[in-house]
Amino acid sequence: MMTHAAYDCDVLVIGGGIVGLSTAYALLRAAPGTRVTVLEKEPGPARHQTGRNSGVIHSGIYYRPGSLKARYAVRGSAELADFCAEHSIAHATTGKLIVATERSELPRLHGLVQRGREHGLPVRELGPAQIAEYEPEVRGLAAIRVGTTGVCDFTAVATRFATEVTATGGIVRYGAEVTAVDRRPWGVAVRTADGLVVRARVLVNCAGLHSDRVARLAGDDPGARIVPFRGEYYALARPELVRGLVYPVPDPAFPFLGVHLTRGFDGSVHVGPNAVPALAREGYTWPQVRPAELLSTLSWPGTWQIARRHWRYGAGEVHRSLSRSAFTRAVQRLLPAVTEDDLRPSPAGVRAQAVLKDGTLVDDFLIREGPHTVHVLNAPSPAATACLPIGREVARRVLRRARETGWKPPAVESGHCV
């Protein structure tokens, strides 16, 4: 058994996005004095999914009752608003409209009303005239308003987590790309691209777009493959057309919410995202192609099952990606006044979607454990909203794994309750 001094840290977190940093933050709050190190390959935090989304604090209305997404989003949205207020991070509770534009969508809209009430959310049903009271330029047959939805600066939240981690004794290393993981009976040793070796009792994998790859490096079978989907956004040249947040009724057969309108905390309005296959894990534009990563996606049986089941939906998304006029027509279903000239390209994001071998798109947060390891394998939206409760859940599992090595959290040793 290795001695305490032989470990470089007690817990090593791979990934400096909002989930990885929230986990480190939760660990140090639950067990002060724990030696926590975060390794992030980019030069700063929140460079991928965290910093490239619509910035919405979700209410939880879409998610199946009892699921982790539902539990953590409902709880996390309130906690996140409080965290932003405490640390003076830009945020606003705006409410949002979910709008049905076709009669076929009305049963699904009514289903969302019932789901929202099951979650204890403030949900109001609206007719066309009432829609116009909230959003004069939006057209629909019916809508619901969810009062607890909001917006915030998720990059600032992640940055604050990093600040809190370092202020309480943790280490956050940027520019530290993990290239090898060696699991031993005493724990794990990780090597980075620049030759740094870090030995820890427990490894936490919050690598997002690369989470399945990191799990395999550690010798664990993730049971799923990350299939990247790019979400493309436009900024609205006439932001006065939209007062708040406007969403379509989602298609339950696909885990994406559809093109929506989002007024951010800075007053700008973004339109999107669509969902098209990315040709690299970090493929933010069509020309970005990484052959090895594309081969990994194409060699996974689940990828072909997705294509077989959803090819019509996917073809429409690709068409709207390649044709601004087609994208504009999709937006006009909600916002008839918008024109092609109103849409200005904005940075895209890539969603790390875990896909099972049979083509099932993993629809909930997925956390798996192995000897000395905890892997967060699926944490797409609403993970940013739910980052505080997710971080606590991962931290709870990590501390249990650490105790298996004979380690006791410093707070326990000093007589404090964890």
Side-chain angles (χ1 to χ4, degrees), residues 106 111 140 167 179 220 259 312 343 366 370 373 383 385 413:
L106 293 176
T179 56
D220 292 323
V259 171
R312 289 183 185 275
L343 302 181
L366 179 62
T373 58
T385 297
E413 293 174 348

Side-chain angles (χ1 to χ4, degrees), residues 64 66 91 389:
R64 175 176 48 83
H91 72 290

Side-chain angles (χ1 to χ4, degrees), residues 185-263:
W186 46 262
V188 293
V190 167
R191 182 183 297 275
T192 66
D194 60 2
L196 175 70
V197 174
V198 182
R199 293 161 296 180
R201 298 175 186 275
V202 181
L203 169 69
V204 187
N205 169 15
C206 297
L209 288 158
H210 302 278
S211 58
D212 59 336
R213 182 178 64 84
V214 169
R216 290 193 298 274
L217 283 177
D220 292 323
D221 179 7
R225 183 71 51 87
I226 294 297
V227 175
F229 287 88
R230 184 171 61 256
E232 296 162 331
Y233 291 90
Y234 288 93
L236 197 60
R238 292 188 289 160
E240 65 273 11
L241 292 177
V242 178
R243 292 179 174 178
L245 310 179
V246 183
Y247 280 65
V249 179
D251 182 346
F254 217 62
F256 305 105
L257 297 179
V259 171
H260 46 272
L261 311 165
T262 306
R263 176 173 284 275

Side-chain angles (χ1 to χ4, degrees), residues 354-374:
V355 178
L356 303 183
K357 188 171 287 188
D358 66 359
T360 299
L361 298 162
V362 178
D363 190 40
D364 204 357
F365 301 138
L366 179 62
I367 305 170
R368 288 184 172 166
E369 301 178 44
H372 305 292
T373 58
V374 178

Side-chain angles (χ1 to χ4, degrees), residues 104-394:
S104 61
E105 296 172 337
L106 293 176
R108 300 205 303 269
L109 186 69
H110 294 317
L112 287 175
V113 171
Q114 297 305 314
R115 179 165 289 186
R117 289 173 178 162
E118 286 183 57
H119 293 326
L121 299 174
V123 179
R124 181 187 177 197
E125 298 181 73
L126 308 176
Q130 294 164 310
I131 293 173
E133 292 176 10
Y134 288 101
E135 293 286 352
E137 298 295 338
V138 170
R139 298 291 179 269
L141 299 177
I144 58 177
R145 185 174 188 274
V146 188
T148 52
T149 306
V151 292
C152 81
D153 184 347
F154 285 127
T155 297
V157 173
T159 301
R160 185 68 203 190
F161 285 150
T163 299
E164 294 290 316
V165 167
T166 56
T168 50
I171 296 172
V172 181
R173 295 185 183 275
Y174 299 113
E177 181 177 3
V178 171
T179 56
V181 179
D182 185 13
R183 181 160 52 194
R184 300 292 182 88
W186 46 262
V188 293
V190 167
R191 182 183 297 275
T192 66
D194 60 2
L196 175 70
V197 174
V198 182
R199 293 161 296 180
R201 298 175 186 275
V202 181
L203 169 69
V204 187
N205 169 15
C206 297
L209 288 158
H210 302 278
S211 58
D212 59 336
R213 182 178 64 84
V214 169
R216 290 193 298 274
L217 283 177
D220 292 323
D221 179 7
R225 183 71 51 87
I226 294 297
V227 175
F229 287 88
R230 184 171 61 256
E232 296 162 331
Y233 291 90
Y234 288 93
L236 197 60
R238 292 188 289 160
E240 65 273 11
L241 292 177
V242 178
R243 292 179 174 178
L245 310 179
V246 183
Y247 280 65
V249 179
D251 182 346
F254 217 62
F256 305 105
L257 297 179
V259 171
H260 46 272
L261 311 165
T262 306
R263 176 173 284 275
F265 58 86
D266 60 356
S268 64
V269 173
H270 281 80
V271 184
N274 57 4
V276 298
L279 306 182
R281 299 266 177 134
E282 298 165 17
Y284 296 111
T285 63
W286 281 112
Q288 288 181 283
V289 181
R290 290 189 176 179
E293 293 178 359
L294 179 57
L295 179 61
S296 173
T297 297
L298 295 177
S299 64
W300 185 243
T303 301
W304 297 101
Q305 293 294 331
I306 294 172
R308 182 177 63 82
R309 295 171 192 164
H310 302 295
W311 69 270
R312 289 183 185 275
Y313 185 101
E317 293 290 283
V318 171
H319 178 53
R320 285 185 287 275
S321 171
L322 299 175
S323 168
R324 188 180 301 192
S325 62
F327 192 99
T328 303
R329 289 194 296 273
V331 179
Q332 286 171 337
R333 293 179 57 200
L334 288 170
L335 191 67
V338 76
T339 68
E340 192 171 334
D341 291 338
D342 288 325
L343 302 181
R344 298 175 179 173
S346 190
V350 175
R351 173 182 175 132
Q353 175 63 53
V355 178
L356 303 183
K357 188 171 287 188
D358 66 359
T360 299
L361 298 162
V362 178
D363 190 40
D364 204 357
F365 301 138
L366 179 62
I367 305 170
R368 288 184 172 166
E369 301 178 44
H372 305 292
T373 58
V374 178
H375 303 285
V376 181
L377 294 169
N378 197 60
S381 181
T385 297
C387 61
L388 286 162
I390 290 176
R392 288 196 301 272
E393 171 62 19
V394 178

